[in-house]
Amino acid sequence: DLYRMHNATYPSSDQGLKALVEKPAEAKKWQTGGYLKGKEVPTDPWGNPYKYLNPGNHGDVDIYSLGVDGRESEDDIGNWKLED
């Protein structure tokens, strides 16, 4: 949300979550040190990168893991499921 406050939008799908740790060329303003603790994009519990969509299918943005099977299926874990 802080990235969006600084740039009037969330990172694009092409920029991905990497835009939170490395300044994209398109960023109007960028917080020194980035927006994530540890200065690297975290991975899901299975060591895979999280998927990111903007605009999302379930909200402004979707951040999700493909789960243990590593493919899109009913076991995917996403930020939209946090509200359930």
Side-chain angles (χ1 to χ4, degrees), residues 5-59:
M5 186 176 76
H6 286 161
N7 294 282
T9 185
Y10 290 113
S12 69
S13 290
D14 289 339
Q15 292 169 328
L17 296 172
K18 189 175 182 179
L20 303 178
V21 295
E22 293 180 17
K23 182 181 179 182
E26 301 87 355
K28 297 173 189 168
K29 182 177 178 185
W30 201 76
Q31 177 173 289
T32 302
Y35 296 90
L36 296 177
K37 290 181 182 179
K39 299 183 180 165
E40 62 183 51
V41 178
T43 57
D44 72 12
W46 300 276
N48 300 310
Y50 284 99
K51 303 294 182 180
Y52 175 81
L53 284 177
N54 178 12
N57 294 321
H58 302 278

